[in-house]
Amino acid sequence: MKRSFKFRLRPTVKQVQALSACLANHRELYNAALQERREAWRRSAVTVSYGMQSKQLKDIRRVRDDHARWSFSSQQATLRRLNLAMEAFFRRVKAGQTPGYPRYKGERWFDTVVWPSDRDGCRWDSTPDAGHIRLYLQGIGHIRVHAHRCIAGRVKTISVKREGDAWYVILACDEVPTNVLPPTGRVTGIDLGVSEFAALADGTLIRNPAWWRQTEERLTKAARRHSLRYPPGCTRSKRKVRSSQNLAKIHRGNARKRLDFHHKLALNLVRENDILVHEALNIAGMVRAPRPKPNPDRPGEFLANRAAAKAALNKRILDAGWAQFLTILTAKAENAGRLTVVVNARNSSRTCYQCGQVDAASRAGITFRCTTCGHEDHADVNAARNLLRAGLVLIQAE
Ligand SMILES: [Zn+2]
C-alpha cells in the first residue's frame, strides 16, 4: 500500500537561501510556461503541449545558469503540474462549466517543488553513516532532516514544501507493508456531528476536545483584527505582512492539533473494531460557497449577510475536518486489515432505529424521540446505529 511521511527540515542559513531560490525559479518557470500557453492560444488558438514545453527546457537551461543548477526532473514535474491544471480547466469547459483560467502563481501561492523519483536530482538518507538522516537536493546540498519516526516501504517521490518560515519534506512511499491486527469481533457505526465530534453505535459520544473552541476563537479574533486593520486593497506594508504571517501561524497550529486528534481517534477506532461504517460526505456540496441573497431595495446588489457567511464558513471548516478524519480512518483501516463501509447518510438522522419510521419531527435538538413508537435516544447515537445497520446490510448483499 501507499503512504506518505512528512518531516521537518533543518536547513542551514545558506540552504534556506538556496531553497528559496529553488522555489522562486520553479515558480518563474511555471508562470512563464503559463504565459506561453495563454499567448499562443490568444494569438492563434494554438495549444501548447507539455511535450513542447519540456523540450524548450533544455534551451532555457543552456542560457539561464540560475535555472540550470536545479534538477531537470523537478522542473519537468513543475511543467506537468501546469499541464494538469490546464487539462482540468479544459475538462470543465467541455463539461459546460465556467471554470477560471489557471492563474499566475504569486509568491505565497507556490510553495512546493516535487522531485518525481528518488535518486534523480535528490536522494533520501544521502549520508547514511552520518548518524542522522539527511536529504540531498541538487543545487542545495545535504539538508538535515528532523526524522521523528522510521519510514516504511520504498521512497517514490520527494516533495519539499514551505510553510511560513518552516521547510518540510514529504516522502510518498510505495510497497509499504501492512500491519494487520487480530480480529476483535466488534463492529461500529460512526456519525460525525456538530455539537459532538462523533457518536458511535454503542452509545459512546466523542466530544470535540476542550481546546478546540479556544483555538478556533483565537483564530477568529486574530482574523477579525487583521481584516479591520488592513482592509482589502490597503497597501502592503511590513506590518501587514507580519500580521498575515502571524494569522497563518495560528491557523497552521490549529490544523496540526486537529490532525493529531484525528490520528489518535482513528487509531483507537481501528484497533477496537473489525468493521467501521460511516456516512458518505457530499464533497461537491462542501466546497461550494452559499449563493448570496439579492438586495430587494437595490437591484443588482447583494445583501451582506454576515451571520450566514459565518455559519457557512464554520460549516466548511467542519466539513474539511470530517473529510480529513475519514481519509485518515480509511488509510489506517486498510493498513490494519479492517473493513470500512461507506453508506448514504440520507435520512439516517430522521429514522427511528427501533421502528424504522422516518419523521423529521422526531428529532428535537440533541434528543431523538420517535413520534410513532416513543423510542428515545441521543440523536447522533440513533443516527450512528442506523448507519451501522445500513452498512451491515450492504456487506451481506455483496
Ligand atoms: Zn420509532
Side-chain angles (χ1 to χ4, degrees):
M1 72 179 264
K2 288 178 186 165
R3 197 175 153 184
S4 64
F5 299 87
K6 183 176 177 184
F7 300 115
R8 179 99 185 245
L9 291 174
R10 303 281 182 210
T12 62
V13 176
K14 268 200 171 157
Q15 286 171 341
V16 169
Q17 284 167 355
L19 281 167
S20 305
C22 178
L23 201 55
N25 280 143
H26 280 78
R27 182 167 72 91
E28 190 195 347
L29 183 68
Y30 184 98
N31 286 338
L34 175 59
Q35 191 183 5
E36 187 192 13
R37 290 195 184 218
R38 282 180 106 134
E39 276 176 8
W41 181 256
R42 197 165 38 209
R43 281 208 197 118
S44 42
V46 171
T47 316
V48 179
S49 71
Y50 162 74
M52 291 153 86
Q53 295 197 317
S54 177
K55 262 184 208 145
Q56 292 170 14
L57 201 49
K58 271 193 191 129
D59 301 327
I60 295 172
R61 287 168 70 92
R62 225 182 343 257
V63 293
R64 287 280 303 268
D65 287 344
D66 57 336
H67 278 271
R69 59 191 156 150
W70 315 122
S71 148
F72 190 78
S73 302
S74 70
Q75 290 174 324
Q76 279 183 319
T78 297
L79 292 177
R80 268 199 297 274
R81 200 153 108 205
L82 172 67
N83 196 45
L84 275 180
M86 299 301 297
E87 277 175 359
F89 169 74
F90 286 120
R91 197 165 47 235
R92 292 186 61 190
V93 170
K94 255 189 193 163
Q97 295 166 323
T98 48
Y101 198 85
R103 295 186 193 199
Y104 293 109
K105 300 273 188 191
E107 203 183 328
R108 286 187 299 153
W109 302 101
F110 193 93
D111 54 14
T112 307
V113 175
V114 180
W115 284 258
S117 58
D118 192 13
R119 303 189 174 220
D120 177 7
C122 64
R123 189 163 173 189
W124 172 249
D125 199 5
S126 55
T127 53
D129 304 324
H132 42 248
I133 289 178
R134 286 175 195 266
L135 169 72
Y136 170 76
L137 297 173
Q138 182 182 326
I140 297 160
H142 300 268
I143 310 169
R144 253 187 102 150
V145 181
H146 185 84
H148 59 282
R149 62 178 307 158
C150 292
I151 64 157
R154 204 162 51 87
V155 176
K156 285 281 286 182
T157 68
I158 293 179
S159 314
V160 169
K161 188 171 184 222
R162 186 190 59 197
E163 289 181 15
D165 46 16
W167 294 85
Y168 293 88
V169 58
I170 297 148
L171 307 167
C173 293
D174 237 1
E175 297 163 23
V176 179
T178 52
N179 179 20
V180 175
L181 295 174
T184 62
R186 299 228 299 259
V187 296
T188 195
I190 305 159
D191 178 69
L192 299 168
V194 176
S195 55
E196 316 290 344
F197 181 78
L200 305 182
D202 67 356
T204 313
L205 291 177
I206 295 155
R207 299 186 188 282
N208 284 314
W211 46 260
W212 198 286
R213 249 183 76 179
Q214 281 171 10
T215 54
E216 289 303 334
E217 263 167 23
R218 204 171 140 228
L219 180 65
T220 318
K221 262 187 199 158
R224 199 179 300 138
R225 207 164 43 229
H226 177 79
S227 61
L228 279 177
R229 263 184 215 162
Y230 310 101
C234 90
T235 36
R236 196 172 146 87
S237 63
K238 258 189 185 166
R239 279 168 194 246
K240 183 182 171 183
V241 170
R242 213 178 301 140
S243 168
S244 59
Q245 280 170 351
N246 179 43
L247 193 61
K249 199 172 173 185
I250 298 174
H251 189 64
R252 281 197 299 274
N254 288 4
R256 242 194 326 267
K257 279 186 199 159
R258 202 177 308 128
L259 183 69
D260 180 60
F261 170 70
H262 287 164
H263 267 288
K264 283 178 180 154
L265 177 60
L267 188 63
N268 282 335
L269 288 171
V270 163
R271 274 192 189 141
E272 285 166 14
N273 299 284
D274 296 344
I275 300 172
L276 305 111
V277 183
H278 64 79
E279 64 204 284
L281 292 183
N282 173 11
I283 303 287
M286 272 160 52
V287 284
R288 205 177 302 135
R291 193 176 296 210
K293 288 201 177 91
N295 189 337
D297 302 327
R298 295 181 175 182
E301 283 183 25
F302 294 95
L303 286 174
N305 189 344
R306 279 181 175 238
K310 198 182 167 206
L313 179 67
N314 285 344
K315 170 100 179 49
R316 264 180 287 167
I317 292 169
L318 270 176
D319 286 344
W322 292 343
Q324 175 178 285
F325 171 70
L326 291 180
T327 307
I328 292 169
L329 183 76
T330 310
K332 284 204 195 301
E334 192 193 337
N335 179 42
R338 306 298 207 209
L339 183 64
T340 49
V341 185
V342 187
V343 296
N344 191 338
R346 216 178 119 81
N347 288 335
S348 68
S349 59
R350 279 172 286 187
T351 306
C352 172
Y353 178 71
Q354 202 76 265
C355 71
Q357 182 70 30
V358 182
D359 187 358
S362 295
R363 195 179 171 157
I366 59 160
T367 27
F368 184 93
R369 197 172 295 117
C370 180
T371 51
T372 308
C373 75
H375 170 65
E376 234 184 88
D377 205 345
H378 188 285
D380 294 346
V381 173
N382 178 65
R385 290 187 171 141
N386 285 328
L387 289 173
L388 175 58
R389 183 152 60 193
L392 294 179
V393 167
L394 210 64
I395 299 173
Q396 270 158 14
E398 274 171 5

